[in-house]
Amino acid sequence: MSREPVIVGIGLSDYPKAPHLDSLMHISQATQRALEDCGLALSDIDGFACATMPTDPELHVEAIEHLGLTPRWLNTTYTGGSAAQFQIPDAIAAIREGRAEAILFAYGSDFLSRYGRTLGTGGLTVEDGLSGPLLYEQPYGSTIATCYALAATRHMAEYGTRPEQLAEIAVGVREFASMNPNAMYREPLTVDDVLASPMIADPLHLLDCCVVSDGGAAFIITTEERGKDLQQSPIHILGAAGANSHWHIHSMPNFSTTAGTASSTEAYQQAGVQPEDIDTIQFYDSFTITALLLLEDHGFCGKGEGGGFVEEGHLRKGGSLPMNTDGGSLSSCHSGMRGTMLITEAVRQLRGHGGDSQVPDCELALAAGCGGLLSYIGTTILGRDRR
Amino acid sequence: MIDVIADQPWNRGPMDPGPIDREYFEAAAQGRLIIQKCTNCGNTQFPPKTLCVSCGQTPEWIETSGKGQVHTFTIVRRHGIEPFSGLPPFVLAMIDLPEGARLMGNVTDIDVEDVHVGQNVEAYAWRINETLALPLWRPAQN
Ligand SMILES: [Zn+2]
């Protein structure tokens, strides 16, 4: 009776624009679709993972009430967009130890419908007076985009990375988005298109930045034994780890390196695989620089060599390491925290259900979430077979 | 000592620093850029905190030279919030101090296209009210 963890059901809610759904209904819809996908019922679910966001501080308990769950195991760890990656290690321990039989991961947000498109260039509006750590950022006009731009500038200064190399990341992801009928933007892009788009915060152009959308996702982890007789081929969780370096951007210790070096080292060790074994990567691509740093820090190329690696076309359809085969957050869907969607897309590829964007002979997928401001990096390695 | 300018009215929103943070902005209004140094373990830290993050003792303040170097920067071209939405292009940078801290700030008094990593800059302060001022940066004079 193997209690090794497998992913058996996945579901996405309506995206990228769903004004008829609030965050809770995104969770509800994605959950129902994940259950239908695998054939489990809500009554089978006895574990629940759902990140508590500052903008929706009670979403997890509202979701539990709405779904009628009584979880024996609960995890609401918030690390920003990598929350799912940080919750998975505890979930797989709970499955192995018998503290849960079937764990539902769910995320959903009406970010676009609620906040509009200016999220990345906005800031906090402080009515009562600024206090705490943001005193040292907010009065200087810091935004989400400027934080990532600071990392990009530093990477360029240290390693000679060029804007057209960052742009190539957006071009490759858009190519996959063109194969996803639901993606927010599907028209093909060129590097020149990216470079000609309005500059937001040097060196990041508009098309170096992710979309803002509505959307939700859910997946279900259970035991290998339970997964055998469900509707889909179970996908094995082979490695899962998280690491952090800071929270506020002013405390980032090294502006050209993330904690992905630590999270990936541990995940590779657990899985017993090397970067060259991985067939596809599902990377947090909040900005093109995010994906570039994750590439280097997960060992797919040397430190500082990400620009040249990207230019060689590895991340494209037909390349050696296709990235973000659903169109990513750069072109398809970004509703605030994308870590859950990295897993659902990795599972879709490993099942061989990728359609036009299917990666050939896809046996190993690596998902990497990035939370906060390049702060919390989580790595999950999934396999078609147990190794 | 760093220059304190008072000829531009403060327009970047209300500031309500707590007791430790207040000392930093008060010092700036008096022409001093200060960071914390722990006499117990030697740790320097920024932003200021009530206790040393390294050993838990109460840190002291040290006055810096007010000199710094651009570690990284961006030219902000789009901003969605007042009053910053009317400011672009402006430079937001991380500044390394030789005393051992890295601070966020704006680099002003320069064509934004001329800012570069490694550039030497010096601090000045923009008066917020009678007691507080915000440190900013401009190219070093020599
Ligand atoms: Zn100390």
Side-chain angles (χ1 to χ4, degrees), chain B residues 38 40-43 52-57:
Chain B
C38 177
N40 184 49
C41 75
N43 175 53
C52 171
V53 298
S54 180
C55 75
Q57 297 298 306

Side-chain angles (χ1 to χ4, degrees), chain B residues 92-122:
Chain B
L92 186 148
M94 298 303 302
I95 308 294
D96 284 337
L97 306 189
E99 292 84 3
R102 184 177 294 157
L103 285 59
M104 186 180 283
N106 299 126
V107 181
T108 68
D109 300 271
I110 184 173
D111 184 331
V112 295
E113 304 289 346
D114 291 338
V115 176
H116 57 270
V117 170
Q119 185 166 20
N120 291 318
V121 290
E122 64 180 28

Side-chain angles (χ1 to χ4, degrees), chain A residues 77-387:
Chain A
T77 300
Y78 172 74
T79 61
S82 57
Q85 278 67 43
F86 272 78
Q87 293 165 342
I88 287 172
D90 191 28
I92 62 183
I95 290 288
R96 284 185 177 132
E97 294 163 13
R99 289 183 283 131
E101 294 299 321
I103 295 177
L104 170 68
F105 275 68
Y107 173 73
S109 176
D110 53 356
F111 252 53
L112 174 61
S113 296
R114 200 188 325 183
Y115 297 111
R117 292 187 55 203
T118 57
L119 187 68
T121 53
L124 295 176
T125 19
V126 180
E127 313 242 318
D128 298 337
L130 199 59
S131 62
L134 292 181
L135 281 166
Y136 305 95
E137 295 187 355
Q138 213 68 24
Y140 301 113
S142 182
T143 66
I144 296 173
T146 64
C147 294
Y148 287 82
L150 291 172
T153 299
R154 186 66 198 179
H155 199 276
M156 288 179 168
E158 282 185 32
Y159 302 114
T161 308
R162 289 175 281 112
E164 49 269 41
Q165 294 173 327
L166 291 174
E168 165 60 26
I169 292 174
V171 171
V173 171
R174 178 63 63 89
E175 185 180 18
F176 281 118
S178 74
M179 304 167 205
N180 174 357
N182 294 320
M184 187 172 250
Y185 297 109
R186 303 184 60 211
E187 290 296 306
L189 274 186
T190 65
V191 165
D192 287 343
D193 291 335
V194 179
L195 300 181
S197 67
M199 193 68 94
I200 301 295
D202 295 43
L204 301 178
H205 307 79
L206 179 66
L207 294 175
D208 285 297
C209 307
C210 70
V211 306
V212 177
S213 76
D214 302 323
F219 61 89
I220 296 162
I221 302 179
T222 186
T223 65
E224 187 173 6
E225 187 65 27
R226 183 76 178 93
K228 272 181 192 166
D229 52 359
L230 295 175
Q231 285 163 205
Q232 305 285 355
S233 310
I235 298 303
H236 300 263
I237 307 177
L238 304 176
N244 67 293
S245 50
H246 61 285
W247 184 241
H248 300 96
I249 196 72
H250 64 238
S251 288
M252 185 162 180
N254 181 337
F255 275 78
S256 56
T257 301
T258 72
T261 51
S263 66
S264 65
T265 299
E266 189 178 337
Y268 286 132
Q269 193 174 19
Q270 288 174 15
V273 302
Q274 305 288 328
E276 53 268 29
D277 300 325
I278 302 295
D279 298 310
T280 181
I281 50 177
Q282 306 301 330
F283 269 7
Y284 218 98
D285 56 348
S286 46
F287 297 87
T288 50
I289 184 66
T290 317
L292 187 91
L293 295 177
L294 290 175
L295 262 182
E296 294 178 354
D297 297 341
H298 282 73
F300 292 108
C301 57
K303 191 67 210 171
E305 295 170 4
F309 183 85
V310 166
E311 272 185 329
E312 289 166 9
H314 299 290
L315 308 183
R316 296 287 201 104
K317 182 177 168 66
S320 63
L321 194 64
M323 181 179 84
N324 297 359
T325 44
D326 60 350
S329 54
L330 283 168
S331 285
S332 177
C333 175
H334 188 272
S335 57
M337 301 201 299
R338 205 181 138 72
T340 320
M341 293 167 196
L342 304 173
I343 300 296
T344 55
E345 178 60 14
V347 168
R348 194 175 73 106
Q349 288 290 333
L350 290 165
R351 286 177 178 177
H353 294 177
D356 291 343
S357 69
Q358 179 62 45
V359 175
D361 303 318
C362 189
E363 293 178 21
L364 279 173
L366 185 147
C370 170
L373 302 157
L374 295 165
S375 323
Y376 280 71
I377 311 298
T379 306
T380 315
I381 300 174
L382 302 178
R384 196 175 65 189
D385 310 300
R386 180 150 304 285
R387 297 169 74 90

